[in-house]
Amino acid sequence: EAGVTQFPSHSVIEKGQTVTLRCDPISGHDNLYWYRRVMGKEIKFLLHFVKESKQDESGMPNNRFLAERTGGTYSTLKVQPAELEDSGVYFCASSQRGSYNSPLHFGNGTRLTVT
Amino acid sequence: SQQGEEDPQALSIQEGENATMNCSYKTSINNLQWYRQNSGRGLVHLILIRSNEREKHSGRLRVTLDTSKKSSSLLITASRAADTASYFCATASGAGSYQLTFGKGTKLSVIP
């Protein structure tokens, strides 16, 4: 089966610009997660979708971040306007079941650099 | 202080040796998971151990969990150069959320 794919792999933008990251989960996986790792810090949870619904968005840092999953397939994460502290690697993951005991399948991440 | 702190931060060993990484956490958990990340790639799930389990094996991997000490260890036996990667522990604490809390990871280098 195809894995979780993320696009783009790298993005360099200027402060104040907008960037949209895309994630295609494994086919059939209803659960989709976004995580982020900023330089030198831990990988942090951003939010969790079940199909097209936001199950938990407690990790979203502020209202400059908007995640969508229209139709319950792929997801986008938009940062508008981007700030310097948004730089980091954004990971998407999916799982078949929404369960504490379901391992996550991660994509390779999008490395975002805000200058 | 962080949930899921790995120790050591970096580890360098010779091929064929065993590698042990430790993880400590602070709150009660439903399970603890270990992931591997090769440079520039995504995280790959290695093993999940539930809070009522004490030890689990998968191939050359052995994970232990001590909930009384809030700690876990990952042992990789007979290491190979291909095991060179960063290893992360992550805890699932429940409370209505499926989010994982990750540590900063241990960077393992296996020298051929």
Side-chain angles (χ1 to χ4, degrees), chain B residues 8-60:
Chain B
Q9 292 187 346
L11 180 61
S12 184
I13 60 173
Q14 295 288 330
E15 199 166 32
E17 293 181 336
N18 295 341
T20 300
M21 288 160 269
N22 302 298
C23 169
S24 60
Y25 58 91
K26 297 196 178 296
T27 65
S28 61
I29 61 172
N30 287 297
N31 66 59
L32 186 144
Q33 305 178 33
W34 285 90
Y35 287 82
R36 183 189 74 225
Q37 183 187 25
N38 291 88
S39 181
R41 305 298 299 272
L43 288 87
V44 175
H45 180 261
L46 296 176
I47 201 162
L48 182 153
I49 186 165
R50 301 187 188 203
S51 60
N52 60 353
E53 297 176 312
R54 292 296 166 258
E55 189 171 312
K56 207 159 183 183
H57 296 254
S58 177
R60 293 183 296 112

Side-chain angles (χ1 to χ4, degrees), chain A residues 3 10 63 69 90:
Chain A
H10 293 83
N63 58 11
R69 193 183 182 196
Y90 290 76

